[in-house]
Every structure is written in C-alpha cells, then in structure tokens.
Amino acid sequence: MPERALIDGMPRTHGELRECVVLDAGREPVDERAYAQAIRRLMQGDAVELGRDHNAICYRAGLVATDGRPLAAVVKVPRMGPQRTNADTSFAWEARILASLPVAGIGAGPGLLGRVVAGGTHFLFMDEVPGRHPDPATHPLDAQTLHAILEQLYAMDARGLMHYDLKPANMLVDGTRVRFVDFEFARYRDVLETYTPASEAFCADYNVSGNPFFPGRSNVANFEFRALHFHLRDLAAAGADAEALIRHWLRARSGYHRRMAVFVAGLADSSATGMALAAGIAPGRVRDRLHAAAQHETMLADVFAQPHEAAARVERLLMAYRCAVFERDAAEIERLRQTIRAASGPDATRRGTLPGAYCQAVTRVVELVGRSS
Ligand SMILES: Nc1ncnc2c1ncn2[C@@H]1O[C@H](COP(=O)(O)OP(=O)(O)O)[C@@H](O)[C@H]1O
Ligand SMILES: [Mg+2]
C-alpha cells in the first residue's frame, strides 16, 4: 500500500488527479493521461511495491505507451520523513542521469520512461530492472556475478560516472546479468580534469582509486566498501568460504585492471593535449603520467591474476578501512591503519610477496581515504 501520508497529501477532486504534468520525457512516447492513470492506480493501493529505502518507494506501474504497448515500468515516489538522505524530492537529477546513460554507453541502469508532477508530488518512471539483491544468506555473490559487476563498474569508471551508492539494495542480479538502480547521487567527472590542481582534493575521498598516476575515484572502491565488505564479513561469520570469494573478486579485478591499462594508455593518444591544457602542464608530462598509469594498472592486473595471500589480505583490509572511515569509527580506523601498514610495509616488499609500487600505492590510499570527510 502506498504510504497514507503521500495519498492524503495529494490534492484530488472526486478521486481524480487535478493535473499531471510531464517534466521529462523518456525513451518511449507516453501520453500524459497514461501517467495520470498509473498514478491513480498507485493511489488506490493497486500497485505492487518493489522496494523502499531512505528516500523513496518503488512500485510496479501499469504504464502504457502512446501506441498501446504495455511497458514494464517502475514508478519511484518520494518518501518523506527524517530518514531522508537527499533533500531534493523532485528526481530531476536522477532523471537527467538516467537519460544520459545510453548516450554515454552505460548499460548498467534502467531506461528513463518519464518524470512527472501531480498534485505537488514528483514521480519518476523507469524500466523495471529484473533480479534480486545480493544477500550473503539467501543470494550470495559468486565468481560469475563478480565478473558481471566488474563489467558494469569498468564501463562507468571509463566514462567518468561515479554511482556513489553501490550497496546491495541498489544492485539487482538476474542470472548472469547485473544492473544498478538509484542513480540519485551519481555524478560525471570529465577525464580532462584528471591532472588539474583540484584533483588532489577530489582524491581525498573514501572512493579514491589505487592508481597514483591516474588520480580519481572508482566505482570499484565504492562497491567494495558499500557492499562487498559486509558480504564477506557475513559469509565469514556464517562459516562460509569468504577467502575463496575474495580470490574470485581479485581475479575478476585482474581483468578490470588489464582493460584499464589499455584505456589509460589510449588516453595518451586521444586526450593528452586536452588534459594538459586543463591542468596547465606540458602534454609530454601528461603522456608520461598516462604511460606510468597504464604500467601501474598492468602491475595490479598481474598481482591479482593469481592473487597471493598477502595481496588478498591487504585488499580485504582496505575495504574494511574505507568502511571504517565512512562510518567514522575512530578506534577501527586506527587499528586498520596499523594492520595495513604492517601488511604492506617494507617487510612485505623485502619478502618479495608484494611489489614495492603496490605497497606505496596502498599507503597513498590509506592517507587519502583518511582525509575523506
Ligand atoms: N528500476 C527498478 N527496477 C526494479 N526495482 C527497483 C528499481 N528501482 C528501484 N527498485 C527497488 O526499489 C528500492 C528503492 O528504490 P531506490 O531508488 O533505491 O530508493 P532510495 O532512493 O530510497 O534508495 C530499491 O532498493 C530496489 O529494491
Ligand atoms: Mg536505493
């Protein structure tokens, strides 16, 4: 049932919507009356709820295209109250992001079907994304799913789109396919800004990526501390083989870094001049950094291809550390900082278990994540 507050708060005339205005059209032609009809059914309590979280409730919406075709649509309705984490209840930003995804070549999210306002409330219509949320007890992640997740994360990282909220409730797994919903906090960053002076402050963040030569944030880091950390923790607590899953994850990440190496090397040809202009430095210096960045990605790909126990340990600790900083758990932050230092310090390099460049990059991540606010 839709929340009473929503229904009661909507002005109606004899049970009819006074008006329904289309603010953003989507990928299918849909008539204003079709939106109004879907909203009316929703208010009558005839819609199946698909899920709810801090800012919204989503229902299956009986939406029909102008030519009469039924659409597998979901309608997102604002959820009022102190639990909100987003002050904006208009879905304007999310609609813009959803509309941009196909243009950007990102297949991770639902298509936009339209954004409308009726009786002072905004409604976001989008494609239904089939599948279930990952859950360590009922729907655990496996190697194939982790690969599919990294496919999507790579596509977004390569196009400069950060989702920023990759928790299980915003991920849907359908067989071998993984997709994301809830792009209300997503933001693009222009790759040309990679080496601008503002880049350093941008990297002082929970989501900072591990490549010091290609400073930026990564959806991989976000997924690791918003979802994978808890998934692994709960699996381990239940006596399942979390270690095996970490190794699957790192092997899948090896492929991600292999692709990233090709991507950043390609930027040296396609974008070095623009990046240099934006940063006020010589194109030659930008090219050198991009080549170093490609080398670093290749090194990561090699380290994770057959992950050594030491690398698996450090990566697991980093996930926990990002999470502790995100949760502002001071004691845990300090404990993990020391444990990571011990696991990736000069000893690890001397013993030959981890490359020096990897250990230095880990130290940089610990420092930058620690400055996140
Ligand atoms: N396009 C969609 N297809 C299927 N389920 C969806 C879709 N969008 C959202 N959901 C479900 O509704 C829940 C709440 O939607 P979401 O956009 O994440 O709201 P919030 O902004 O409050 O986090 C999600 O966790 C998910 O279960
Ligand atoms: Mg959500």
Side-chain angles (χ1 to χ4, degrees):
M1 275 288 286
E3 283 191 348
R4 286 284 359 141
L6 167 72
I7 302 164
D8 294 343
M10 290 185 62
R12 277 171 286 165
T13 310
H14 307 302
E16 290 295 309
L17 281 171
R18 250 191 274 160
E19 59 178 7
C20 167
V21 180
V22 179
L23 300 171
D24 294 307
R27 58 169 194 80
E28 294 275 1
V30 178
D31 210 83
E32 218 163 73
R33 277 166 311 186
Y35 288 117
Q37 204 168 30
I39 294 168
R40 224 169 3 249
R41 264 199 302 272
L42 179 71
M43 294 194 311
Q44 285 159 359
D46 286 348
V48 173
E49 179 178 324
L50 289 174
R52 62 173 66 199
D53 212 329
H54 291 102
N55 297 305
I57 310 174
C58 289
Y59 302 91
R60 204 166 267 150
L63 195 61
V64 181
T66 309
D67 60 11
R69 267 174 311 123
L71 301 168
V74 166
V75 58
K76 182 166 174 172
V77 185
R79 210 184 143 196
M80 302 308 178
Q83 84 293 334
R84 288 192 68 82
T85 56
N86 185 352
D88 185 6
T89 58
S90 76
F91 303 122
W93 182 264
E94 189 167 1
R96 254 174 80 181
I97 295 282
L98 293 187
S100 80
L101 297 179
V103 188
I106 297 169
L112 173 70
L113 290 171
R115 185 174 70 100
V116 309
V117 64
T121 299
H122 291 85
F123 299 85
L124 180 69
F125 288 83
M126 60 191 141
D127 292 325
E128 179 171 349
V129 176
R132 294 164 63 186
H133 302 302
D135 183 291
T138 57
H139 200 47
L141 293 165
D142 59 18
Q144 198 174 35
T145 310
L146 293 175
H147 267 101
I149 289 172
L150 276 164
E151 285 279 314
Q152 302 290 25
L153 301 183
Y154 173 80
M156 294 198 295
D157 278 353
R159 277 128 188 141
L161 179 69
M162 278 294 295
H163 182 287
Y164 283 119
D165 199 10
L166 291 172
K167 57 184 184 179
N170 292 334
M171 315 181 66
L172 287 155
V173 181
D174 181 32
T176 57
R177 213 162 167 219
V178 174
R179 286 166 74 196
F180 307 142
V181 297
D182 196 5
F183 284 74
E184 66 188 307
F185 298 117
R187 294 284 184 280
Y188 284 97
R189 183 186 190 225
D190 194 332
V191 74
L192 297 183
E193 289 175 20
T194 303
Y195 300 112
T196 57
S199 179
E200 201 191 333
F202 182 73
C203 287
D205 186 80
Y206 322 103
N207 300 291
V208 66
S209 85
N211 190 331
F213 306 103
F214 194 69
R217 298 178 182 176
S218 169
N219 289 289
V220 174
N222 191 266
F223 167 70
E224 286 185 337
F225 83 88
R226 302 287 282 138
L228 190 56
H229 165 71
F230 300 102
H231 200 90
L232 292 167
R233 184 197 64 185
D234 294 354
L235 282 181
D241 193 354
E243 300 300 317
L245 198 68
I246 298 173
R247 284 194 297 278
H248 285 311
W249 172 245
L250 293 181
R251 264 186 232 113
R253 260 187 66 183
S254 177
Y256 165 96
H257 292 295
R258 200 79 67 199
R259 290 174 79 183
M260 208 37 114
V262 175
F263 171 72
V264 290
L267 290 176
D269 297 325
S270 66
S271 311
T273 310
M275 291 168 108
L277 276 173
I281 54 179
R285 274 186 62 200
V286 167
R287 271 188 213 99
D288 288 348
R289 285 200 216 173
L290 288 169
H291 287 307
Q295 256 175 33
H296 194 87
E297 291 295 333
T298 303
M299 180 273 292
L300 291 174
D302 291 344
V303 168
F304 297 149
Q306 294 299 331
H308 192 283
E309 200 183 305
R313 176 136 192 278
V314 171
E315 290 299 320
R316 180 71 192 86
L317 288 165
L318 275 178
M319 291 175 211
Y321 175 72
R322 289 186 203 265
C323 189
V325 175
F326 185 71
E327 292 179 345
R328 299 174 198 273
D329 183 341
E332 188 67 353
I333 292 170
E334 198 39 45
R335 186 188 74 76
L336 286 164
R337 210 192 281 268
Q338 287 176 22
T339 318
I340 295 170
R341 197 180 297 143
S344 64
D347 270 4
T349 315
R350 242 194 323 274
R351 282 197 306 270
T353 46
L354 294 169
Y358 173 78
C359 294
Q360 281 158 26
V362 167
T363 305
R364 169 184 170 272
V365 166
V366 169
E367 203 268 315
L368 285 169
V369 171
R371 284 202 271 138
S372 184
S373 53

